[in-house]
């Protein structure tokens, strides 16, 4: 085991420094992971731009990662050195009301790897052993690094109780919207209608399983009605993060339909709800955030058995030393769905 490692530290917004740091010593209940690949997610970009978690800088971001077990604390059992793993990034206290309900995100003491504490844009990271999920040794790192974002989408579908035969509209065909479409395809939702103001993105969504794509917002309502016999969709997933889209979502669902609140808005944005219609039609809105526990296991299984088209997410890889350029130029490449850092 080397004594020192390279870590990409975001010292202030827009500025990564590659630092030499001591390799962490795992605590008795932790494992040390030799990081293999890490995805750059929208949240990382928000942190880079100073719009999120700025109070936590300097920080090593990175939470969509895979690697192999390099060392283990004395109390860890059931795992072995060299095993390939993915990691649930949400660290709850494991004792409070919410942790016991598997709602770790509501834990008052919750920590998140790469957001509230140092994460995976580094060669080694120590994590609690109970959050480690062993992956098949022959799975590609680039695919495994998609487990966490896919888990977020799995959780959203679970919370929205989407089943086969349901019509679903996905607002936003960014990386996560694309994964929503792919998961809906595996669930058997039909038709899957996707919309994005970027035509390149709706085309990508069509290629991975959407039935209908709309890039002109003015055509969305009539398109949804045409494909749902005038009723509206069973479910609308908001995967953009703009509160004004909820006004549309309320007109796109059928009576008794459901809106899945998923895209992250600003902190004080309000939703204008047509209360009487919601009551009379028994409509619903429900949020979901992140992926954890079973969501991670399910996401891993879907990737393992080839249910998700991963090529559009794994094509663009940068070495850790080029992380600054990888972040700075991400907006110039709308045709990419994901960038990954290779360690
Ligand atoms: N709740 C969760 O668990 C969770 C997890 C991960 C990401 N997110 C959030 O989900 C959202 C989607 O993630 P992403 O990585 O795909 O984001 P992204 O910003 O990369 O993609 C958003 C897409 O929405 C499109 N868009 C913008 N305005 C639009 C409009 N008016 N109508 C239709 N499309 C429009 C953009 O062209 C873009 O393709 C983000 O808000 C992200 O923060 C939530
Ligand atoms: Zn993420
Ligand atoms: Zn807790």
């Amino acid at each position: 085991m080397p004594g020192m490692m390279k870590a990409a530290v975001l010292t202030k917004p827009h500025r990564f420094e590659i630092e030499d740091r001591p390799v962490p010593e795992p605590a008795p209940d932790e494992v040390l992971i030799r990081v293999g690949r890490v995805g750059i997610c929208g949240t990382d970009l928000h942190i880079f731009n100073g719009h999120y978690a700025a109070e936590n800088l300097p920080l090593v971001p990175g939470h969509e990662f895979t690697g192999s077990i390099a060392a283990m604390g004395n109390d860890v059992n059931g795992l072995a050195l060299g095993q390939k793993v993915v990691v649930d990034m949400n660290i709850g206290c494991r004792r409070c009301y919410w942790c016991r309900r598997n709602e770790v995100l509501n834990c008052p003491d919750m920590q998140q790897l790469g957001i509230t504490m140092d994460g995976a844009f580094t060669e080694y990271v120590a994590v609690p052993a109970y959050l480690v999920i062993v992956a098949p040794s022959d799975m590609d790192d680039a695919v495994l690094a998609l487990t966490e974002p896919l888990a977020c989408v799995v959780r959203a579908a679970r919370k929205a109780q989407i089943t086969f035969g349901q019509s679903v509209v996905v607002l936003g065909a960014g990386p996560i919207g694309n994964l929503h479409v792919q998961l809906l395809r595996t669930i058997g939702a039909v038709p899957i209608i996707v919309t994005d103001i970027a035509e390149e993105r709706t085309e990508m969504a069509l290629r991975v399983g959407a039935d209908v794509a709309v890039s002109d917002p003015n055509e969305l309502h009539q398109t949804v009605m045409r494909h749902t016999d005038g009723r509206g969709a069973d479910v609308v997933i908001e995967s953009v993060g703009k509160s004004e889209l909820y006004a549309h979502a309320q007109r796109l669902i059928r009576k008794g339909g459901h809106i899945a609140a998923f895209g992250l808005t600003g902190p004080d944005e309000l939703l204008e709800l047509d209360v009487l219609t919601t009551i009379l039609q028994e409509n619903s809105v429900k949020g979901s955030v992140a992926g954890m526990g079973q969501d991670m296991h399910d996401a891993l299984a879907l990737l393992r058995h080839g249910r998700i088209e991963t090529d559009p997410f794994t094509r663009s890889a940068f070495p850790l030393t080029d992380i600054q350029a990888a972040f700075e130029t991400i907006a110039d490449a709308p045709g990419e769905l994901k960038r990954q850092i290779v360690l």
Side-chain angles (χ1 to χ4, degrees):
M1 183 76 57
M4 301 296 283
M5 64 177 190
K6 300 269 178 230
V9 185
L10 191 69
T11 52
K12 55 183 184 185
H14 305 284
R15 190 71 231 156
F16 273 110
E17 309 275 357
I18 304 295
E19 291 184 7
D20 287 313
R21 289 193 165 185
V23 173
E25 186 77 33
D29 61 349
E30 286 184 338
V31 298
L32 183 71
I33 294 171
R34 173 67 175 92
V35 178
R37 253 195 204 231
V38 199
I40 299 175
C41 122
T43 306
D44 297 319
L45 266 182
H46 286 308
I47 298 173
F48 181 76
N49 290 326
H51 299 153
Y52 187 63
E55 66 282 8
N56 301 335
L57 304 191
L59 176 77
V60 177
H63 57 268
E64 301 182 355
F65 68 105
T66 183
S68 56
I69 298 181
M72 296 189 285
N74 285 335
D75 295 347
V76 177
N77 42 47
L79 295 170
L81 292 180
Q83 278 176 325
K84 210 174 245 213
V85 296
V86 291
V87 179
D88 194 330
M89 66 176 287
N90 305 289
I91 308 174
C93 74
R94 306 176 76 184
R95 288 181 300 274
C96 75
Y97 178 85
W98 289 279
C99 282
R100 297 220 190 269
R101 292 172 59 87
N102 195 25
E103 292 177 16
V104 177
L105 265 288
N106 289 325
C107 171
D109 298 320
M110 196 248 322
Q111 298 281 325
Q112 287 181 304
L113 282 166
I115 296 176
T116 66
M117 60 194 286
D118 285 344
F121 290 132
T122 178
E123 288 175 283
Y124 292 89
V125 61
V127 303
Y130 83 99
L131 292 176
V132 163
I133 301 166
V134 177
S137 58
D138 59 352
M139 272 184 77
D140 188 354
D141 280 4
V143 173
L144 281 173
L146 286 173
T147 310
E148 193 278 335
L150 182 61
C152 299
V153 168
V154 166
R155 187 174 189 82
R158 201 193 306 285
K159 293 267 176 186
Q161 300 184 326
I162 296 169
T163 59
F164 60 88
Q166 285 189 319
S167 50
V168 183
V169 178
V170 180
L171 304 179
I176 297 286
N178 186 289
L179 291 176
H180 280 298
V181 167
Q182 296 207 50
L183 182 66
L184 291 167
R185 189 79 183 195
T186 71
I187 292 171
V190 65
I192 302 163
I193 303 166
V194 66
T195 183
D196 198 295
I197 46 178
E199 209 171 316
E200 204 167 10
R201 293 251 156 119
T202 53
E203 274 164 18
M204 282 191 266
L206 279 175
R207 282 201 290 276
V208 295
D211 299 292
V212 183
V214 183
S215 50
D216 178 354
N218 296 320
E219 286 178 10
L220 182 60
H221 187 264
Q222 65 185 53
T223 305
V224 171
M225 293 304 151
R226 191 166 67 246
H227 289 276
T228 58
D229 299 327
R231 285 189 302 273
D234 293 300
V235 179
V236 173
I237 301 173
E238 204 284 356
S239 187
V240 178
K242 290 187 175 163
S243 49
E244 64 265 28
L245 291 181
Y246 286 85
H248 301 295
Q250 287 174 66
R251 293 193 308 114
L252 295 174
I253 52 170
R254 65 161 167 83
K255 294 177 184 175
H258 178 77
I259 298 172
F262 185 91
L264 301 183
T265 66
D268 301 315
E269 293 182 36
L270 299 179
L271 161 65
E272 251 183 51
L273 185 71
D274 178 341
V275 183
L276 186 61
T277 301
T278 303
I279 296 166
L280 295 180
Q281 298 186 355
E282 300 191 320
N283 299 341
S284 58
V285 183
K286 188 171 179 62
S288 80
V289 65
M292 63 200 82
Q294 180 166 5
D295 311 318
M296 289 289 290
H297 284 272
D298 292 349
L300 179 58
L302 287 161
L303 291 167
R304 176 179 183 175
H305 295 286
R307 298 297 172 92
I308 303 294
E309 176 65 60
T310 55
D311 280 0
F313 294 86
T314 57
R315 285 196 287 253
S316 177
F318 287 68
L320 186 71
T321 42
D322 289 348
I323 192 169
Q324 179 75 27
F327 271 74
E328 277 176 354
T329 58
I330 220 162
D332 308 337
E336 282 175 13
L337 286 178
K338 173 74 65 190
R339 273 188 181 176
Q340 295 180 325
I341 300 295
V342 183
L343 272 304

